[in-house]
Amino acid sequence: AVKYCGIDLIASEQRCIWIDVTRIQNKLLVSIENTLGDKTNQINSGSGSGLRLVNERIQIFNKTHQDNITMEFEKPLVHCERGYRVEIYFRF
C-alpha cells in the first residue's frame, strides 16, 4: 500500500491509505485500501511480490493455528476512485 500510494512517481495526486478494522461475528476484518494510478486512470502494476509474501506468511501461520486467517485480493473500493483494496479476515 505504501509503495503505490506515494513513493512511485506516477502515483495519484490523492495519496492516501485507509485501514479499516471491523468485527463481523467471530471474525475481525482488516481492510487496507490505497490510491493507485495517475490522472488518466492508468493502473501501476507491480511484481505482486508484496501480496505474494503476505499470502505465504498467512499460509505458514495457518498451518500452525488452524486456518485462522484468510486474505481476499482486488476487493471493490470503498474510499477512493482509483486504487487497490485487500481484506484480511482473522477468525477468533
Side-chain angles (χ1 to χ4, degrees), residues 63-81:
K63 285 180 182 178
T64 306
H65 299 285
Q66 305 170 355
D67 294 322
N68 288 329
I69 302 174
T70 57
M71 181 167 59
E72 297 180 5
F73 304 96
E74 299 180 15
K75 300 299 289 182
L77 298 172
V78 174
H79 299 288
C80 58
E81 294 178 15

Side-chain angles (χ1 to χ4, degrees), residues 4 6 13-14 21 24 40 57 59 63 70 77 87-88 91:
Y4 294 107
E13 288 182 11
Q14 177 193 14
V21 179
I24 303 171
T40 63
R57 290 180 181 124
Q59 289 175 11
K63 285 180 182 178
T70 57
L77 298 172
E87 296 179 352
I88 303 173
R91 185 169 44 96

Side-chain angles (χ1 to χ4, degrees), residues 12 16 18 27 37 47 53 62 74 77-78 83:
S12 170
C16 295
W18 290 269
K27 293 182 181 180
S47 65
L53 290 171
N62 284 341
E74 299 180 15
L77 298 172
V78 174

